[in-house]
Amino acid sequence: MLSKQVFRVLGKEAQKGSLLFDGLPPASSADSGSGGPLLFDDLPPASSGDAGSLDASPSQTGKNEGKGAKRKTSEEEKNGSEELVEKKVCKASSAIFGLKGYVAERKGEREEMQDAHVILNDITEECRPPSSLITRVSYFAVFDGHGGIRASKFAAQNLHQNLIRKFPKGDVISVEKTVKRCLLDTFKHTDEEFLKQASSQKPAWKDGSTATCVLAVDNTLYIANLGDSRAILCRYNEESQKHAALSLSKEHNPTQYEERMRIQKAGGNVRDGRVLGVLEVSRSIGDGQYKRCGVTSVPDIRRCQLTPNDRFILLACDGLFKVFTPEEAVHFILSCLEDEKIQSREGKPAVDARYEAACNRLATKAVQRGSADNVTVMVVRIGR
């Protein structure tokens, strides 16, 4: 249990403003197709309950860059070079929040279960990060397959392995920039591996999958997302004394302007809200037959600093969100966590029993509400 003094220190750190992430390659350099601009957004501070858009406003971005950028000499301006000083978060006064994942899945009315998931509460030893900079690494992911289970299963088996191999192990100047480059390379490599294997089959596999991954590096979350699965953070608002559901990920469907423009520029089209009238998502792993039409494996990446007011993270496929809003899902989970009738079993702590029950009840309720899709519900408890 952290002391109130540490809670206050962490709360102040979370409200200091956005870190600067310049110098990263554009989406088009990480993939043969143009993936659009990457998002490097920060969530509101712990005292804020705003669950609206996470995009930083131009005025806020300008202020942050103005504070972080060094003055350029006239010669540097001619060359177009720019150096940015990244704000350093003092870790000496912060304790690492414990993370533990729980999951439940339902096949629903589908003939087979095409979802997959991964829970790795602690992969610090496997990643072998610079010990002076990083003390804990965790990984949680949900994959929603379509056209078969092979793409989602492949991503669940290989994406985190590629991430571990590419994770920074030596001295790094910026942990944030290095981790984000690592995620970009990991998604690109995993997609290329699957497409190579899929194209070698006769007939070629046509499977595809969404991917929503949360990589926790100490108390910083990096959320990488493809498609329409989602990650939601439950954060307590001290001012309103209510819990808010904050979106950590961005959905990708071909009806969105930027996604549609990329698809049309690549020679594809959008009919009835789908790529070529068939595919519902505009970014995915696999779907080789649509990659030449502008479908890309370049993820949106967002960053979120955990605070003492954060309760849990919800990762789920669209089978849940077809019948639950994020707010409804968060409050459903909270009601389960506060249900004292849920008793521990087989020597498990009561808190584990309640989180497991929350996952199972929410997945079952989604099917009862009429979700005909596969349903996967993962809840990551944020420990104190």
Side-chain angles (χ1 to χ4, degrees), residues 270-281:
V270 178
R271 300 195 307 271
D272 300 324
R274 299 171 180 240
V275 180
L276 302 184
V278 180
L279 186 63
E280 286 188 85
V281 295

Side-chain angles (χ1 to χ4, degrees), residues 317-384:
C317 62
D318 69 329
L320 173 69
F321 296 110
K322 286 176 179 177
V323 293
F324 272 90
T325 67
E327 292 76 16
E328 288 175 335
V330 163
H331 288 292
F332 186 97
I333 294 169
L334 287 170
S335 66
C336 294
L337 299 181
E338 295 167 0
D339 187 353
E340 297 181 356
K341 295 180 181 179
I342 300 175
Q343 301 295 325
S344 60
R345 297 178 181 178
E346 301 175 358
K348 289 183 179 180
V351 64
D352 287 340
R354 291 178 183 178
Y355 272 93
E356 289 176 356
C359 291
N360 280 291
R361 289 182 180 183
L362 184 55
T364 299
K365 192 66 174 179
V367 175
Q368 292 174 348
R369 285 192 177 187
S371 178
D373 203 351
N374 296 154
V375 178
T376 295
V377 174
M378 182 184 295
V379 178
V380 180
R381 174 165 60 94
I382 302 172
R384 298 293 190 265

Side-chain angles (χ1 to χ4, degrees), residues 115-117 139-146 151-152 154-156 159-160 183 186-187 190-191 208-214 223-231 249-252 281 283-287 296-301 315-318:
D115 290 354
H117 64 270
Y139 173 88
F140 308 93
V142 168
F143 305 94
D144 183 356
H146 47 263
S152 57
F154 184 92
L159 198 145
H160 68 277
L183 284 168
T186 295
F187 272 72
T190 303
D191 184 52
S209 179
T210 71
T212 298
C213 307
V214 174
I223 304 91
N225 181 64
L226 298 172
D228 55 9
S229 297
R230 303 181 68 177
S249 57
K250 178 183 178 181
E251 293 181 82
H252 302 125
V281 295
R283 303 193 191 194
S284 66
I285 289 174
D287 291 317
T296 180
S297 61
V298 177
D300 271 311
I301 302 175
L315 292 87
C317 62
D318 69 329

Side-chain angles (χ1 to χ4, degrees), residues 62-189:
K63 289 179 181 178
N64 288 335
E65 290 181 354
K67 291 179 181 178
K70 291 182 177 180
R71 290 186 176 274
K72 303 176 194 174
T73 64
S74 57
E75 183 177 351
E76 286 177 329
E77 289 177 342
K78 290 179 182 178
N79 295 331
S81 63
E82 181 179 18
E83 294 183 36
L84 292 174
V85 178
E86 181 182 307
K87 294 181 183 178
K88 302 296 181 181
V89 177
C90 179
K91 295 183 180 179
S93 61
S94 64
I96 304 301
F97 294 110
L99 299 175
K100 185 174 183 178
Y102 308 82
V103 70
E105 55 184 21
R106 301 289 185 271
K107 187 174 70 172
E109 297 181 8
R110 294 294 178 92
E111 293 182 359
E112 65 175 345
M113 185 64 182
Q114 297 183 358
D115 290 354
H117 64 270
V118 178
I119 294 176
L120 297 172
N121 294 319
D122 193 338
I123 53 172
T124 312
E125 184 176 344
E126 291 86 345
C127 289
R128 292 177 291 155
S131 58
S132 60
L133 298 174
I134 299 171
T135 58
R136 192 276 311 278
V137 181
S138 303
Y139 173 88
F140 308 93
V142 168
F143 305 94
D144 183 356
H146 47 263
I149 194 176
R150 287 167 292 208
S152 57
K153 184 177 180 180
F154 184 92
Q157 292 174 341
N158 292 279
L159 198 145
H160 68 277
Q161 297 290 355
N162 290 331
L163 178 66
I164 289 171
R165 283 191 287 269
K166 294 176 180 293
F167 200 85
K169 296 175 174 60
D171 293 333
V172 294
I173 298 175
S174 167
V175 172
E176 286 79 9
K177 289 182 181 180
T178 307
V179 169
K180 287 180 176 179
R181 283 198 183 95
C182 172
L183 284 168
L184 288 171
D185 291 343
T186 295
F187 272 72
K188 181 176 184 292
H189 184 62

